[in-house]
Amino acid sequence: MGDSMAAGKGLPLPQMALTAAEEQGRAVLAGGCFWCVEAVFRDLEGVLEVMPGYSGGSAATADYRTVCSGTTGHAEAVEIRYDPRRIGYGQLLQVFFAVAHDPTQRDRQGNDVGTQYRSVIFAVDAAQARVARAYIRQLNETDPFSGHPIVTEVRPLEAFYPAEAYHHRYAERNPDQPYIRCVSRPKVEKLRQDFAPLLRTDPKE
């Protein structure tokens, strides 16, 4: 992650929240390599499932090799299923911006370069889009990233395509893989340090 993420600790919750009737229990977020984003959200209390996959392009190009070309319109994304009684969409967004990725990097995350690594919130409905856009305005007004504007897109979710099976729980199953050690593990450690009250207490299934 870039130096601008040093200010991520203590990001506020969104001032605008979903009502109980609007809460869907589903979020789709893209913030670079889905191995790393999945690892962060799997550690949160109330998160029921995190699925890596692709969003932004067509079904015909929703495979890893093709998406890696950067020409499909897809971004590597995760679909998060959560219990709204235990964690809210606003808390997921807070973690997304503070820990899961650097929202000030356009079409890349660190050494991962290409539109498939861009920062996108794929809103499942108009209520989510409203909250996400308001939160981005809120953060840009308070400038937590020291002059680096947020470049995260907010787009309506058209479809989410699950990734190939070998990508699922990749960080968990490959803890000593060099990329996981260098990129994913520091994010999980930051989550555990900065968001301890949100961590799950039950064993992961």
Side-chain angles (χ1 to χ4, degrees):
M1 292 183 291
D3 291 341
S4 60
M5 281 302 290
K9 183 176 181 180
L11 287 186
L13 275 167
Q15 294 172 347
M16 182 181 291
L18 296 175
T19 67
E22 292 173 324
E23 196 80 56
Q24 293 287 320
R26 182 189 185 210
V28 177
L29 306 172
C33 174
F34 49 25
W35 297 343
C36 304
V37 179
E38 178 193 33
V40 167
F41 285 102
R42 279 186 53 77
D43 261 1
L44 295 176
E45 174 66 26
V47 168
L48 307 175
E49 181 183 15
V50 186
M51 177 75 69
Y54 315 105
S55 195
S58 70
T61 59
D63 66 87
Y64 189 66
R65 178 172 293 184
T66 309
V67 170
C68 282
S69 72
T71 63
T72 66
H74 280 297
E76 290 192 14
V78 296
E79 179 187 62
I80 304 165
R81 299 282 183 171
Y82 64 97
D83 182 348
R85 297 167 299 179
R86 295 153 65 194
I87 192 168
Y89 184 65
Q91 290 171 305
L92 296 178
L93 292 183
Q94 184 186 32
V95 169
F96 178 66
F97 284 105
V99 179
H101 80 311
D102 182 343
T104 71
Q105 294 192 8
R106 188 181 299 278
D107 294 337
R108 68 180 300 159
Q109 283 294 300
N111 293 325
D112 294 328
V113 179
T115 58
Q116 69 271 31
Y117 300 115
R118 68 191 186 275
S119 175
V120 191
I121 297 169
F122 291 102
V124 304
D125 56 25
Q128 281 193 359
R130 185 175 66 250
V131 169
R133 291 193 177 99
Y135 192 36
I136 291 171
R137 287 196 300 270
Q138 176 187 340
L139 293 179
N140 277 327
E141 287 170 0
T142 57
D143 192 26
F145 300 106
S146 303
H148 298 270
I150 291 170
V151 298
T152 304
E153 303 171 26
V154 179
R155 308 187 71 174
L157 177 67
E158 296 181 358
F160 176 84
Y161 304 98
E164 297 83 348
Y166 69 90
H167 291 298
H168 300 197
R169 302 191 181 195
Y170 187 90
E172 180 182 333
R173 292 185 293 101
N174 299 275
D176 295 322
Q177 201 256 26
Y179 184 91
I180 297 302
R181 288 204 314 267
C182 294
V183 182
S184 177
R185 187 178 299 171
K187 294 183 181 186
V188 173
E189 290 173 352
K190 179 177 175 61
L191 175 78
R192 293 173 179 171
Q193 177 180 338
D194 294 353
F195 289 91
L198 296 185
L199 297 179
R200 66 189 312 135
T201 55
D202 58 309
K204 298 177 186 176
E205 297 181 359

